[in-house]
Amino acid sequence: MNTRSLVLPELLPLLEEIPTVDLSPESLPAFRSGLEQTAGQSFLQAEDYPVTLERLNIPGTDNAPPIRLLTVRPRKEATGPRPALLHLHGGGYFAGQPELTTTQLCQFAQEMDCVVISPDYRLTPEHPFPAAIEDAYTTLCWITRNADTLGIDAARIGLTGESAGGGLAAGLALLTRDREGPTLLFQNLIYPVLDDRTITGQPDASR
């Protein structure tokens, strides 16, 4: 689907600088591998920030596999429970990982004195909807249940994400509302994937 007509004219020069990606089942592994290399470089740059990074696994819901989390915490001693920022990475729902924007997560943690938690949610096409958003919701509930152990204020949990992660964050906020789940303090959507004009097929009205 060609979505060029949906781009603001003043942004088209920037679009011309972005290489066109021809995705297919054959090219997807190489595309993901390229992003993983970028993520690795970003992760190494975290040494420039006064934060502590940790990778851990939490149980998935029902029969879902464990979810890997990247946590970023300021090194300075906390005077009380810190706010938490649940971050959802971009990558078109089919690629990406939390480490892709490690430096930005470090900035969030340092400048807002908060704990940043970013799940490595399941990706499509291997794991179609609603796998990703269920992983995000599971992570949010886990943060809330373990707030005391994590040194987090459960009443101050924010939500952020860029691109596909922004769309996922918006969906998570609605899902949490509908399920009467944990209370979210705010959401910060960074160029989120929200435009319904980019769908490739007609939605099922019966669902």
Side-chain angles (χ1 to χ4, degrees):
M1 178 181 183
N2 191 335
T3 57
R4 183 183 178 86
S5 62
L6 304 179
V7 179
L8 292 174
E10 57 266 33
L11 297 180
L12 286 175
L14 176 62
L15 183 63
E16 297 295 343
E17 299 179 9
I18 301 176
T20 299
V21 179
D22 183 18
L23 286 175
S24 66
E26 293 74 26
S27 64
L28 183 56
F31 182 82
R32 286 175 172 171
S33 178
L35 285 186
E36 288 177 3
Q37 293 179 16
T38 301
Q41 295 170 357
S42 179
F43 187 80
L44 293 176
Q45 294 173 359
E47 297 179 355
D48 298 334
Y49 296 89
V51 299
T52 299
L53 274 66
E54 182 182 7
R55 292 180 172 119
L56 52 92
N57 293 313
I58 65 172
T61 302
D62 298 329
N63 296 322
I67 305 167
R68 186 178 67 86
L69 305 182
L70 172 65
T71 70
V72 186
R73 182 185 299 271
R75 287 182 194 158
K76 67 179 181 179
E77 185 176 350
T79 57
R82 284 187 164 104
L85 185 63
L86 173 55
H87 166 264
L88 299 168
H89 69 79
Y93 301 107
F94 59 83
Q97 59 188 89
E99 290 81 359
L100 196 60
T101 54
T102 303
T103 54
Q104 184 182 58
L105 304 188
C106 291
Q107 291 171 3
F108 286 155
Q110 179 184 357
E111 295 175 8
M112 295 189 291
D113 193 26
C114 68
V115 178
V116 181
I117 299 177
S118 185
D120 190 14
Y121 57 82
R122 285 172 289 172
L123 302 173
T124 190
E126 296 90 342
H127 305 285
F129 178 88
I133 197 167
E134 290 294 348
D135 285 353
Y137 185 75
T138 298
T139 302
L140 174 60
C141 292
W142 179 85
I143 293 172
T144 304
R145 288 196 309 270
N146 295 276
D148 291 342
T149 303
L150 296 168
I152 285 173
D153 182 353
R156 293 190 294 162
I157 300 177
L159 187 58
T160 189
E162 65 281 341
S163 193
L168 192 57
L172 176 59
L174 295 174
L175 181 65
T176 302
R177 177 203 64 187
D178 293 345
R179 291 182 176 176
E180 299 182 352
T183 300
L184 292 168
L185 186 62
F186 71 90
Q187 58 175 326
N188 173 44
L189 309 181
I190 306 171
Y191 47 90
V193 177
L194 296 175
D195 196 334
D196 61 4
R197 294 172 297 175
T198 62
I199 62 174
T200 56
Q202 295 300 317
D204 184 354
S206 66
R207 297 182 64 182

